[in-house]
Amino acid sequence: MSEVAPLRTPRAATLRKQEHILRAAEQQFARFGFEGVSLETIAVNIGISRQNLLYYYPSKEQLYDAVLDDVLQSWLTGMARMAQHPDPTTAITEYVAAKLRFSQERPSGSAVFTREVMTGAPRYAGRLAEQVLPHLQADVRQFERWAREGLIQRVDFTHLMFLIWACTQAYADLAPQFALLLGKPALEPQDFTTAQSLITGLVLGRLKPNAS
Amino acid sequence: MSEVAPLRTPRAATLRKQEHILRAAEQQFARFGFEGVSLETIAVNIGISRQNLLYYYPSKEQLYDAVLDDVLQSWLTGMARMAQHPDPTTAITEYVAAKLRFSQERPSGSAVFTREVMTGAPRYAGRLAEQVLPHLQADVRQFERWAREGLIQRVDFTHLMFLIWACTQAYADLAPQFALLLGKPALEPQDFTTAQSLITGLVLGRLKPNAS
DNA sequence: GTCTATAAGCAGATAGAC
DNA sequence: GTCTATCTGCTTATAGAC
């Protein structure tokens, strides 16, 4: 009976260590994908042994799933927020800004997702459909509402969301390439500002009611 | 002396087999990245042995380099073509169309690149700067010329190219996710048509001289 | 909780027979 | 050119001492 308590309520130190492992794993999976990462690399990266890592996450697959779940939550909140704004200009501007901020502050999160999708999402197709699809549909319905109210032009809003994702995620996934071609070691805050106004301008310009 | 000929001019069968290996490798590297692919998998995929594959490509790294080089050539021709068109509307429309066609017909090629870039392009940073950068600069100069002639609005053309790449490549790299969210097993020709008019509309709408 | 030791398997690459 | 055999090293995972 004295065994029950420690199992149900892990100590703060345990939670912190799990979080630490999770972040290190996110960065490694982002760069090399599930198959390309060794638990040894993740472990030494944060100064623990491979065996100790396996104590906290019993298998490589469970660790990977935990990383994906952690990233997904950050994604969905942004999508949920857009469906609530009454004004399309504000909603879109803030959504693009939030998505780009995520790319800037946590590029690994975006990259893990992109890699998973590129392999055909074998480990994640289910959760993708169950959790992302409802939010996507809610956002598309919001676009349709704005269109009916005459606030925006009508286009294929699902594909428009795909393109917003593509543009904002590129500033995480393809950041090394962009930086290289800009002749700098890494993207600077100014590049994200430029990207934000450019992406927002592209989308809002196309949706403006009086435009063709 | 009779040894020289076969070494210098490989027979047609050899060339065909190299090409066969190259295509199989491209698909595997696209899905699983350099570290995630085994030569065994590539070999059995086309019905040869791992050792026989190593006869044609002496190492995994040389095979990977050959794949990247093959893909890069297809990329650069499209970029070179845009710098030649006198009319921005035609040039941009055709560039987007060509880029999307590549994503549709050869998604693996795009994915190998994206994966390489996402790992920080350790094997490819040099060639990226040497071969892609000149074409990017030529295209940006063409945009600047159009802007001086009053044919288009002035924006940050380098980042605009980044966004065009992001949008068009997403229809290769993220195609599985898009298809899943659209409720179909794979993207259909109609989806690429929708994407093409949407992307072209976004870019041309923003560059239209009389728009803000 | 963290360690050492080790199992069991697969990777890339080479040597040499045919 | 294609094969069998083999080397070396690294991978995930487990067993068990402390």
Side-chain angles (χ1 to χ4, degrees):
Chain A
M1 301 181 185
S2 60
E3 291 172 359
V4 176
L7 285 174
R8 284 171 183 270
T9 54
R11 296 183 315 187
T14 298
L15 288 175
R16 259 187 290 117
K17 197 157 188 178
Q18 282 181 328
E19 177 70 17
H20 200 182
I21 293 171
L22 215 58
R23 291 307 170 112
E26 179 181 300
Q27 290 187 8
Q28 290 295 318
F29 284 134
R31 287 198 58 185
F32 303 108
F34 182 81
E35 297 88 353
V37 169
S38 72
L39 296 180
E40 178 79 18
T41 308
I42 298 172
V44 300
N45 205 288
I46 54 174
I48 68 173
S49 69
R50 176 180 75 260
Q51 296 86 342
N52 192 222
L53 189 157
L54 281 165
Y55 172 78
Y56 291 95
Y57 291 92
S59 77
K60 188 182 183 180
E61 189 128 11
Q62 286 179 51
L63 172 59
Y64 183 76
D65 279 1
V67 169
L68 277 176
D69 267 331
D70 190 52
V71 173
L72 187 60
Q73 294 315 313
S74 307
W75 260 58
L76 297 180
T77 49
M79 294 183 71
R81 206 167 296 153
M82 187 163 63
Q84 295 168 344
H85 269 286
D87 173 51
T89 303
T90 312
I92 293 166
T93 301
E94 289 190 3
Y95 181 66
V96 170
K99 201 82 173 37
L100 267 180
R101 212 179 311 122
F102 183 82
S103 290
Q104 184 176 10
E105 293 171 359
R106 208 169 150 194
S108 299
S110 178
V112 175
F113 246 91
T114 300
R115 280 197 177 271
E116 172 68 11
V117 168
M118 282 171 64
T119 73
R123 279 169 266 273
Y124 217 66
R127 270 172 289 179
L128 208 60
E130 287 164 20
Q131 301 192 48
V132 178
L133 187 54
H135 286 84
L136 173 63
Q137 290 171 332
D139 286 344
V140 169
R141 274 197 302 273
Q142 177 70 297
F143 276 114
E144 297 283 359
R145 208 171 301 133
W146 289 328
R148 275 198 303 275
E149 294 169 4
L151 297 174
I152 59 170
Q153 286 270 324
R154 189 182 299 276
V155 299
D156 190 312
F157 296 123
T158 304
H159 280 270
L160 182 65
M161 283 294 291
F162 292 169
L163 291 179
I164 293 175
W165 292 348
C167 287
T168 51
Q169 281 178 241
Y171 278 82
D173 304 341
L174 307 181
Q177 183 186 9
F178 293 168
L180 195 76
L181 292 172
L182 288 170
K184 26 182 115 168
L187 289 184
E188 299 165 2
Q190 174 196 337
D191 294 313
F192 287 91
T193 307
T194 302
Q196 182 180 337
S197 71
L198 194 48
I199 296 168
T200 308
L202 287 169
V203 176
L204 293 182
R206 178 66 184 84
L207 295 180
K208 197 159 49 180
N210 49 319
S212 72
Chain B
M1 302 180 187
S2 60
E3 291 171 358
V4 176
L7 284 174
R8 285 171 181 271
T9 55
R11 295 182 315 184
T14 298
L15 288 174
R16 258 185 291 118
K17 196 157 188 179
Q18 283 182 328
E19 176 70 18
H20 199 181
I21 294 171
L22 215 59
R23 290 306 170 113
E26 179 181 299
Q27 291 186 8
Q28 290 295 318
F29 285 134
R31 286 198 58 187
F32 303 107
F34 182 80
E35 297 88 354
V37 169
S38 73
L39 296 179
E40 178 79 18
T41 307
I42 299 172
V44 301
N45 204 287
I46 55 175
I48 69 174
S49 69
R50 178 179 74 260
Q51 296 86 342
N52 191 222
L53 189 157
L54 280 165
Y55 172 78
Y56 290 96
Y57 292 93
S59 78
K60 188 183 185 180
E61 188 128 10
Q62 286 180 52
L63 172 59
Y64 184 76
D65 279 0
V67 168
L68 277 175
D69 267 331
D70 191 50
V71 173
L72 187 60
Q73 294 315 313
S74 307
W75 260 57
L76 297 179
T77 49
M79 294 184 71
R81 206 168 296 152
M82 187 162 65
Q84 295 169 345
H85 270 285
D87 173 51
T89 303
T90 313
I92 293 166
T93 302
E94 290 191 3
Y95 180 65
V96 170
K99 200 83 174 34
L100 267 179
R101 211 179 311 122
F102 183 81
S103 289
Q104 184 175 11
E105 293 171 359
R106 207 170 153 192
S108 299
S110 178
V112 175
F113 245 91
T114 299
R115 281 198 175 270
E116 172 68 13
V117 167
M118 281 171 65
T119 71
R123 277 169 267 273
Y124 217 64
R127 269 172 290 178
L128 208 60
E130 287 165 20
Q131 300 192 50
V132 177
L133 188 55
H135 286 85
L136 174 64
Q137 290 171 333
D139 286 343
V140 169
R141 273 196 303 272
Q142 176 70 297
F143 276 114
E144 297 283 359
R145 207 172 300 132
W146 288 328
R148 274 197 304 274
E149 295 170 3
L151 297 174
I152 60 171
Q153 287 269 323
R154 188 181 302 275
V155 300
D156 189 313
F157 297 123
T158 304
H159 281 269
L160 182 65
M161 284 295 291
F162 292 169
L163 291 179
I164 293 175
W165 291 348
C167 288
T168 53
Q169 280 179 240
Y171 278 81
D173 304 341
L174 306 181
Q177 183 186 9
F178 293 168
L180 196 75
L181 292 171
L182 288 170
K184 25 182 118 170
L187 289 184
E188 298 166 1
Q190 176 195 336
D191 295 312
F192 288 91
T193 307
T194 302
Q196 183 181 335
S197 73
L198 194 49
I199 296 168
T200 308
L202 287 168
V203 176
L204 293 182
R206 179 66 185 83
L207 295 180
K208 199 158 49 180
N210 48 319
S212 72

